[in-house]
Structures are given as structure tokens and as C-alpha cells.
Amino acid sequence: MAAIIMDGKTLGLKIRERVKEKVLTLKEKGIIPCLAVVLVGENPASVSYVNSKEKALAEAGMESRDLRLPESTTEDQLLSIISDLNKDKNVHGILVQSPVPNHIDEEKIIFSIAPEKDVDCFHPLSVGNMVLDREGFLPCTPHGVLLLLREYNIPVSGANVVIIGRSNIVGKPLANLLIRREYNATVTLCHTGTKDIAHHTLQADILIVAAGKPEFVKSNMIKEGSVVIDVGINRVPDSSAKKGYRVCGDVDPEVSEKAAFFTPVPGGVGPMTIALLLQNVAEAAAAIMTVKK
Ligand code: GUN
């Protein structure tokens, strides 16, 4: 039986409508939520993500401060730009698109962002608050995955959740969120050092894949009737495509024959990430984020 498609596009649009309403109430108070979007260099995938984020901000009635910097930008120049944005009262969120060029220390850049403007939830203070169940921003992609599970009434409490990928953006925060009492999952985190990934994925009631490897997960690696969430977005060369490439996830679409639920790529997790970024910017503008002292 074919799996139910988890439609992140529709749920993302629903969230964006709610954000739009919040923006209207903020505007009545004279606050226009604004995100500074910093892109260093011209990585084609990053350019496309940044364009999508800025379009979504405009559609939600928010402002964006578009900072496209040349590849040659130095670390000091970038730190100085962030320092100015930290001080700017009209900027509520700061996003530095990852990855930055190799000559810039990404960790140093992330650490320099004022935590109250860290809408990505990448700063160690934000990450610490999240791990310790304290109030603060939630990272956009992991939050999107949790909301998709909730929307489709997937039982998470007591479920065996297997995550592939230990990135700071997806795998690590998602594992931490899912072990919160409110989600109550049993989490296994697989990575490049895992001996037999299929041994683990075959036990998964919910499999979340953020491996960065095109169509890495095949049907024979998943349990019949499981939920498969694909966080991957890969560009693979395809001479028959107009652009010369096609976009695919980290999961082979053939799993839809065996899974009970799965997220498509595109149209699954991706639109959720953008919607929750907008939500975080609106929250930052409303100063709803109150870090407990
Ligand atoms: N690169 C890939 N995903 C993200 C993200 O969510 N935020 C930022 N800043 N960069 C990214």
C-alpha cells in the first residue's frame, strides 16, 4: 500500500498565515519584524535558499536586510558587519547562511551573533537553553519535523526513532528535542561511524534522515509501516533536466511502497524550515523570547 505523503508545503503555508497575522498586530504597535540575511559568496544552493527566505519574509509582511557579500570578505569584515547588526534596533534577527567560505571560521561567526537575534538557534547559548528545556528559540528544521509528526498524529511517545546524521543543524538538536519528556521518544543517532546502519534503521518506527547523501536510504533499510522523514536536499547532475540537475532527498522515493508515511522532496521538510524561521523572526520582534535568568 502506498504511503501517506506528509505535506509540508500546506502545513508551512498554514504557519505562515498565522505569522502574517502576528506581523499585523506588531505593525499596529509600530514594530516591523526584520531579519538580516547575510550571504557570503555565491554558492548556487545557498543563493536559492536565501532568495526563498527573503521572498517568504516579504510575503509575511516582514522586512529583510539583504547583505550579499563577496567571497573575498574577510572574517574581520564579517564580524564587524554582525557587530553593527547586533546593535541595530530595527533588526530583530540575524541569519548567516551556512556554509561560509573556508577562510572564515563559521563557529566564530555564529558565536558573535547576539543570542536574542539568533533565530537559527545556532549560538551555544541558544543550543544550551534548548538542551536544558529552557525557553528560547527552537531550531527551524528540527521544529518543522516535530510539527509534521504532530500534524499527522504520529505517536512519538515510546517510539523508536532513528536519526541518520549528527549535524549541529539537524541531527544533534532533533535528538535532544525528541528525548524531552513531552515527546518521550527513544532515540538512536546513526552517523558515518555507525557499523551497520540498516540494523538500526530496520528497528525504526520513525526514521529521520539528514545524511546529506542522495537517495541513501533504500526500501530494504526500512521497517514496513514506518514513518520516514527525509531532511535531505541534494542537487544531482541530470542532463535531461533544463537546469542540468535534479533535486532529490536522502531517501529513495521507492520507500513510499513500504512506509506508512513519508515526506516528499521537495515539499516536505523544506517549506517547514522557512515557515518556522519566519515564526522565530516574529517572536524575536515581539521579544517573546525570554531567556530565564
Ligand atoms: N544552511 C543550511 N541550512 C541552514 C539554516 O537553516 N540556516 C542557515 N543559516 N544556514 C543553513
Side-chain angles (χ1 to χ4, degrees), residues 169-238:
I169 298 185
V170 185
K172 266 190 232 172
L174 201 42
N176 273 289
L177 290 168
L178 283 161
I179 58 169
R180 281 184 174 184
R181 284 186 192 277
E182 63 179 300
Y183 299 107
N184 216 29
T186 300
V187 176
T188 303
L189 200 139
C190 298
H191 45 75
T192 47
T194 303
K195 275 189 188 142
D196 182 358
I197 288 199
H199 166 79
H200 298 283
T201 56
L202 284 165
Q203 312 291 319
D205 301 313
I206 302 170
L207 175 62
I208 303 169
V209 192
K213 292 181 186 162
E215 297 178 353
F216 172 69
V217 169
K218 306 286 179 194
S219 249
N220 62 3
M221 293 169 69
I222 75 157
K223 187 166 90 167
E224 183 94 43
S226 59
V227 177
V228 182
I229 309 271
D230 188 351
V231 184
I233 305 177
N234 308 287
R235 289 181 174 194
V236 293
D238 182 349

Side-chain angles (χ1 to χ4, degrees), residues 255-276:
V255 305
S256 65
E257 293 301 315
K258 200 171 172 190
F261 293 86
F262 86 107
T263 58
V265 176
V269 176
M272 295 297 292
T273 299
I274 294 195
L276 292 160

Side-chain angles (χ1 to χ4, degrees), residues 11-271:
L11 180 56
L13 283 173
K14 239 200 270 182
I15 294 166
R16 284 165 66 166
E17 282 306 313
R18 281 204 300 268
V19 171
K20 224 183 212 174
E21 282 167 26
K22 189 166 185 169
V23 170
L24 285 177
T25 64
L26 286 168
K27 281 186 171 169
E28 281 165 14
K29 292 178 192 158
I31 304 165
I32 305 169
C34 174
L35 176 67
V37 181
V38 184
L39 173 62
V40 187
E42 286 167 12
N43 174 307
S46 292
V47 170
S48 147
Y49 295 147
V50 162
N51 288 343
S52 303
K53 287 171 188 178
E54 290 183 345
K55 186 164 167 257
L57 285 159
E59 279 170 14
M62 297 198 248
E63 284 189 352
S64 56
R65 195 74 67 81
D66 179 59
L67 292 152
R68 312 234 174 175
L69 309 173
E71 181 86 18
S72 59
T73 305
T74 67
E75 187 177 282
D76 281 345
Q77 285 169 332
L78 186 53
L79 286 169
S80 160
I81 287 166
I82 292 170
S83 168
D84 290 343
L85 292 170
N86 283 341
K87 288 177 214 141
D88 191 329
K89 296 230 164 2
N90 295 320
V91 170
H92 306 99
I94 301 170
L95 179 147
V96 179
Q97 185 66 27
S98 175
V100 293
N102 285 335
H103 64 273
I104 297 175
D105 180 348
E106 185 157 299
E107 191 175 273
K108 211 163 164 186
I109 300 304
I110 290 170
F111 285 26
S112 76
I113 295 172
E116 67 274 15
K117 298 190 181 188
D118 175 35
V119 288
D120 263 328
C121 192
F122 289 172
H123 190 284
L125 189 70
S126 315
V127 177
N129 282 328
M130 178 202 61
V131 172
L132 298 173
D133 286 0
R134 289 159 60 98
E135 258 183 77
F137 296 117
L138 290 182
C140 307
T141 302
H143 193 189
V145 171
L146 296 174
L147 292 184
L148 270 174
L149 292 170
R150 191 174 75 184
E151 177 73 8
Y152 286 85
N153 296 314
I154 309 290
V156 177
S157 182
N160 288 330
V161 179
V162 175
I163 299 170
I164 306 180
R166 56 178 150 191
S167 71
N168 290 343
I169 298 185
V170 185
K172 266 190 232 172
L174 201 42
N176 273 289
L177 290 168
L178 283 161
I179 58 169
R180 281 184 174 184
R181 284 186 192 277
E182 63 179 300
Y183 299 107
N184 216 29
T186 300
V187 176
T188 303
L189 200 139
C190 298
H191 45 75
T192 47
T194 303
K195 275 189 188 142
D196 182 358
I197 288 199
H199 166 79
H200 298 283
T201 56
L202 284 165
Q203 312 291 319
D205 301 313
I206 302 170
L207 175 62
I208 303 169
V209 192
K213 292 181 186 162
E215 297 178 353
F216 172 69
V217 169
K218 306 286 179 194
S219 249
N220 62 3
M221 293 169 69
I222 75 157
K223 187 166 90 167
E224 183 94 43
S226 59
V227 177
V228 182
I229 309 271
D230 188 351
V231 184
I233 305 177
N234 308 287
R235 289 181 174 194
V236 293
D238 182 349
S239 54
S240 70
K242 219 168 154 190
K243 292 179 177 168
Y245 66 86
R246 67 182 176 94
V247 173
C248 71
D250 289 354
V251 177
D252 192 317
E254 69 179 18
V255 305
S256 65
E257 293 301 315
K258 200 171 172 190
F261 293 86
F262 86 107
T263 58
V265 176
V269 176

